[in-house]
């Protein structure tokens, strides 16, 4: 499976899916004009990658996420949680947020609450 890198724009995050090095990174803001079109290839890659057992680290640093992107992220977390529960994958998720960004912190806490079978670590950083 090949690595995917999507460079960030003013409305979309940087995304790296690197199966060989067992790392996923998603950083920036997410409010694309058409969320489903933007995330289509990412979702396909996740469905393929997590169809089998995998041990991987995920680094998320989302400054802002609109409601349609948030729905996509819930779908992504569902894929990850199903991989843990059904395939016995080991997925370590670091949710990095700026100490000044209460909304990003709360979003990470919400994901921790909604996806109890995932290993989500909140990581505070200073701007």
């Amino acid at each position: 499976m090949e690595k995917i890198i999507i460079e960030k724009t003013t409305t979309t995050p940087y995304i790296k899916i690197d199966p060989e090095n067992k790392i996923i990174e998603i950083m920036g803001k997410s409010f694309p004009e058409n969320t489903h079109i933007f995330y289509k290839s990412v979702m396909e890659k996740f469905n393929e990658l997590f169809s089998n057992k995998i041990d991987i680290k995920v680094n998320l640093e989302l400054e802002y996420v609109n409601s349609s992107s948030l729905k996509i992220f819930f779908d992504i977390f569902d894929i990850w949680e199903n991989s843990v529960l059904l395939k016995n994958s080991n997925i370590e998720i670091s949710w990095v947020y700026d100490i000044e960004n209460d909304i990003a912190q709360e979003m990470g806490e919400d994901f921790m609450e909604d996806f109890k079978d995932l290993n989500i670590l909140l990581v505070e950083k200073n701007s």
Side-chain angles (χ1 to χ4, degrees):
M1 185 176 299
E2 289 185 31
K3 173 171 49 173
I4 289 181
I5 294 180
I6 301 171
E7 295 298 334
K8 78 175 186 172
T9 69
T10 56
T11 62
T12 60
Y14 167 82
I15 300 174
K16 178 169 80 172
I17 304 170
D18 187 349
E20 184 178 328
N21 292 308
K22 300 183 179 192
I23 191 156
I24 294 169
E25 294 178 336
I26 304 175
M27 302 172 172
K29 299 176 183 176
S30 183
F31 56 102
E33 188 171 320
N34 191 322
T35 306
H36 292 287
I37 290 174
F38 175 76
Y39 283 104
K40 184 177 190 268
S41 65
V42 173
M43 295 297 289
E44 289 169 354
K45 186 73 164 183
F46 284 150
N47 281 318
E48 180 183 352
L49 182 62
F50 291 99
S51 65
N52 298 304
K53 181 185 184 311
I54 187 168
D55 297 334
I56 199 160
K57 292 186 182 214
V58 178
N59 295 314
L60 297 169
E61 190 172 339
L62 298 166
E63 300 166 39
Y64 173 79
V65 178
N66 69 359
S67 58
S68 59
S69 294
L70 188 59
K71 168 65 175 113
I72 292 289
F73 278 99
F74 270 94
D75 294 344
I76 290 169
F77 273 71
D78 278 333
I79 292 168
W80 295 343
E81 188 171 59
N82 285 335
S83 185
V84 168
L85 295 173
L86 303 176
K87 307 294 183 191
N88 200 30
S89 293
N90 180 21
I91 304 170
E92 293 181 25
I93 302 169
S94 293
W95 184 278
V96 181
Y97 66 93
D98 189 295
I99 193 169
E100 303 285 323
N101 190 341
D102 294 341
I103 294 171
Q105 178 183 355
E106 290 170 10
M107 196 175 359
E109 291 168 351
D110 289 345
F111 278 109
M112 287 178 75
E113 187 175 313
D114 291 339
F115 296 94
K116 295 189 186 309
D117 292 307
L118 289 175
N119 179 15
I120 303 172
L121 175 66
L122 294 179
V123 180
E124 186 179 278
K125 75 168 194 168
N126 291 318
S127 38

